[in-house]
Amino acid sequence: MSDDWGVALPAFKPDEALQRLRRDLRELGLSEREGRFERRGSAIARAAVQGDVLAVALVKRPSRSPEWQQKALTNSAQVRDWVALVKKSLAAWSDSDD
């Protein structure tokens, strides 16, 4: 891949992106347990490397039996956008949703 200026973008490394994602989600106040990220015992997000992509999922609403919205991230910009979505979702959910 290259941008309009002819400069090649760095290759996406899903293992490194997962480590960065873990840090970002912990900074948002989530705790990690077995590949899932939780807030007060409710699953919020999950992430895993699948081949050359980072497979992530975010719950529609926190609940005991969550409904997941899945996505495959293939570059660093998508990872940043997904973390921003998680942050926005956390802010939108009130304490009564937990």
Side-chain angles (χ1 to χ4, degrees):
M1 289 196 305
S2 65
D3 62 14
D4 292 340
W5 300 96
V7 178
L9 298 174
F12 182 67
K13 298 176 183 170
D15 293 326
E16 292 177 12
L18 179 59
Q19 294 304 317
R20 199 168 42 252
L21 179 65
R22 285 179 172 151
R23 271 193 311 273
D24 291 344
L25 294 177
R26 283 193 304 263
E27 287 176 4
L28 294 176
L30 301 179
S31 56
E32 183 178 7
R33 186 182 317 183
E34 300 173 0
R36 289 182 320 184
F37 297 86
E38 302 175 343
R39 181 175 69 171
R40 291 185 224 119
S42 294
I44 301 295
R46 60 184 180 201
V49 174
Q50 291 182 349
D52 59 348
V53 300
L54 185 56
V56 296
L58 179 64
V59 297
K60 287 187 178 183
R61 293 189 81 78
S63 68
R64 294 289 173 206
S65 300
E67 186 177 339
W68 296 95
Q69 298 174 315
Q70 299 184 28
K71 188 170 187 173
L73 307 179
T74 59
N75 62 54
S76 296
Q78 290 178 341
V79 174
R80 284 190 305 272
D81 291 345
W82 192 78
V83 170
L85 174 65
V86 172
K87 184 176 182 178
K88 181 179 175 183
S89 296
L90 286 171
W93 296 324
S94 68
D95 289 342
S96 63
D97 290 333
D98 295 329

